[in-house]
């Protein structure tokens, strides 16, 4: 995950951060790497959510969540 983020992050241009171009339909083309980072974040968030909700028992969900937290804290 870190390598994926780093690859996109290294391509970011300072101009992509100006004027919140990523948030405006007419100027989104000016911030492609910010949009990629946001899409990647949403993909990972969806994966974590789906992984948690795949289990019926709260105890199992808690263990899966603890595993995700453990992985994230080592990054």
């Amino acid at each position: 995950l870190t390598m994926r983020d780093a690859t996109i992050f290294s391509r970011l241009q300072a101009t992509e951060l100006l004027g919140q171009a990523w948030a405006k339909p007419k100027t989104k083309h000016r911030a492609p790497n910010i949009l990629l980072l946001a899409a990647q974040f949403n993909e990972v968030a969806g994966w974590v959510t789906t992984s948690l909700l795949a289990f019926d028992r709260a105890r199992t969900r808690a263990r899966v969540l603890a595993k995700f937290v453990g992985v994230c804290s080592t990054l």
Side-chain angles (χ1 to χ4, degrees):
L1 293 173
T2 302
M3 289 175 64
R4 287 175 57 188
D5 285 341
T7 301
I8 297 170
F9 193 77
S10 68
R11 287 187 262 162
L12 269 174
Q13 300 295 316
T15 56
E16 293 186 56
L17 303 169
L18 298 174
Q20 294 184 341
W22 64 91
K24 300 171 187 167
K26 289 184 178 181
T27 57
K28 282 187 177 189
H29 66 279
R30 295 183 191 163
N33 295 305
I34 291 177
L35 293 173
L36 277 172
L37 281 172
Q40 187 166 297
F41 175 86
N42 290 334
E43 181 183 325
V44 172
W47 170 55
V48 170
T49 304
T50 301
S51 297
L52 291 174
L53 295 177
F55 299 97
D56 293 332
R57 297 182 64 216
R59 183 173 295 205
T60 307
R61 287 181 181 175
R63 280 197 298 251
V64 171
L65 180 58
K67 187 68 169 179
F68 277 116
V69 170
V71 168
C72 291
S73 66
T74 61
L75 297 177

